[in-house]
Amino acid sequence: EPEVTQTPSHQVTQMGQEVILRCVPISNHLYFYWYRQILGQKVEFLVSFYNNEISEKSEIFDDQFSVERPDGSNFTLKIRSTKLEDSAMYFCASSTKTGNYGYTFGSGTRLTVV
Amino acid sequence: GENVEQHPSTLSVQEGDSAVIKCTYSDSASNYFPWYKQELGKRPQLIIDIRSNVGEKKDQRIAVTLNKTAKHFSLHITETQPEDSAVYFCAAQTGGSYIPTFGRGTSLIVHP
């Protein structure tokens, strides 16, 4: 079964540092998403991406965040200057089409900001 | 925007019992309701979904019901097994946005 792959699985960074979280979506998927989950809380939408541009973003996705699809396979989330409250599990997801269809989530990157 | 409430936050059952998780949503335009299962330390996985033109859907031991008038939907698991232990998230999605809003999750514990 095709999978969404995320690296690294766990990253520890110092407050104020930049981090890049990487995702390889399923190859024939066209829509890509980043979500985050603070420990014990709900899964929160950050951003959706289609056709090399952001299609929707939440209030959480402020100027500190950016996404990029640098080549045909990778989809990255950059946090420019990490804050303690950015500590969370970050999930990448992809889907074949938009609409009323479920996502395939990656296994997540646990980001710890110290 | 959409608001999804999910209850209970924790549900403990004996193996073989049934489990029911309930969610309510606020946006009457929501028309797609997926359920995800997240085992400890793993990714959320879609287990069942229902669209607004259907009142009930069943897949083996799992069923989901939808009451559009009352704006609530529920997940039913029958004959629970220890491997059903996980956090279950409901979500509601509108036709315009196609971005699901998740509930806070229910931690289901099935005791052998």
Side-chain angles (χ1 to χ4, degrees):
Chain A
E1 186 178 336
E3 288 188 348
V4 175
T5 305
Q6 287 186 245
T7 55
S9 56
H10 190 189
Q11 179 151 2
V12 181
T13 189
Q14 294 225 326
M15 192 168 55
Q17 294 296 304
E18 174 183 286
V19 294
I20 297 176
L21 310 183
R22 291 183 166 79
C23 170
V24 179
I26 294 173
S27 60
N28 65 338
H29 285 191
L30 301 175
Y31 298 85
F32 314 115
Y33 314 86
W34 282 101
Y35 283 77
R36 79 172 185 191
Q37 185 179 30
I38 295 171
L39 187 64
Q41 298 189 25
K42 70 169 82 175
V43 177
E44 299 176 293
F45 169 71
L46 294 178
V47 65
S48 61
F49 192 87
Y50 169 70
N51 201 27
N52 285 320
E53 61 183 22
I54 291 172
S55 46
E56 195 164 344
K57 61 182 181 179
S58 72
E59 292 176 351
I60 303 168
F61 194 87
D62 61 22
D63 291 345
Q64 292 298 311
F65 292 88
S66 62
V67 289
E68 197 176 34
R69 188 156 163 83
D71 52 43
S73 60
N74 289 286
F75 178 50
T76 61
L77 175 70
K78 181 191 291 185
I79 309 174
R80 288 190 182 81
S81 178
T82 51
K83 303 187 277 285
L84 294 176
E85 53 264 38
D86 293 327
S87 295
M89 180 72 89
Y90 288 81
F91 289 105
C92 173
S94 67
S95 62
T96 54
K97 45 193 167 181
T98 192
N100 294 338
Y101 303 94
Y103 296 167
T104 301
F105 280 91
S107 52
T109 293
R110 178 163 297 285
L111 176 66
T112 303
V113 182
V114 297
Chain B
E2 175 66 279
N3 183 46
V4 176
E5 299 289 335
Q6 184 172 349
H7 300 281
S9 57
T10 305
L11 180 58
S12 185
V13 301
Q14 288 296 128
E15 183 177 0
D17 288 350
S18 294
V20 180
I21 302 170
K22 298 181 179 181
C23 290
T24 61
Y25 61 99
S26 61
D27 188 346
S28 56
S30 289
N31 57 8
Y32 176 65
F33 307 91
W35 285 86
Y36 288 84
K37 175 184 179 182
Q38 187 179 25
E39 296 177 28
L40 189 63
K42 297 189 176 180
R43 73 194 76 188
Q45 289 192 297
L46 179 70
I47 55 170
I48 195 167
D49 56 15
I50 190 167
R51 290 174 172 77
S52 59
N53 58 344
V54 176
E56 183 175 357
K57 184 176 178 180
K58 191 172 181 180
D59 182 4
Q60 299 182 336
R61 296 186 297 108
I62 294 174
V64 58
T65 59
L66 171 65
N67 183 327
K68 284 186 63 180
T69 304
K71 291 195 283 222
H72 67 69
F73 56 113
S74 300
L75 178 72
H76 304 252
I77 306 174
T78 58
E79 300 171 28
T80 53
Q81 301 166 4
E83 50 266 39
D84 294 329
S85 296
V87 178
Y88 291 81
F89 291 95
C90 65
Q93 187 169 310
T94 64
S97 156
Y98 302 127
I99 301 296
T101 299
F102 286 85
R104 289 195 172 273
T106 295
S107 177
L108 174 64
I109 303 164
V110 181
H111 299 280

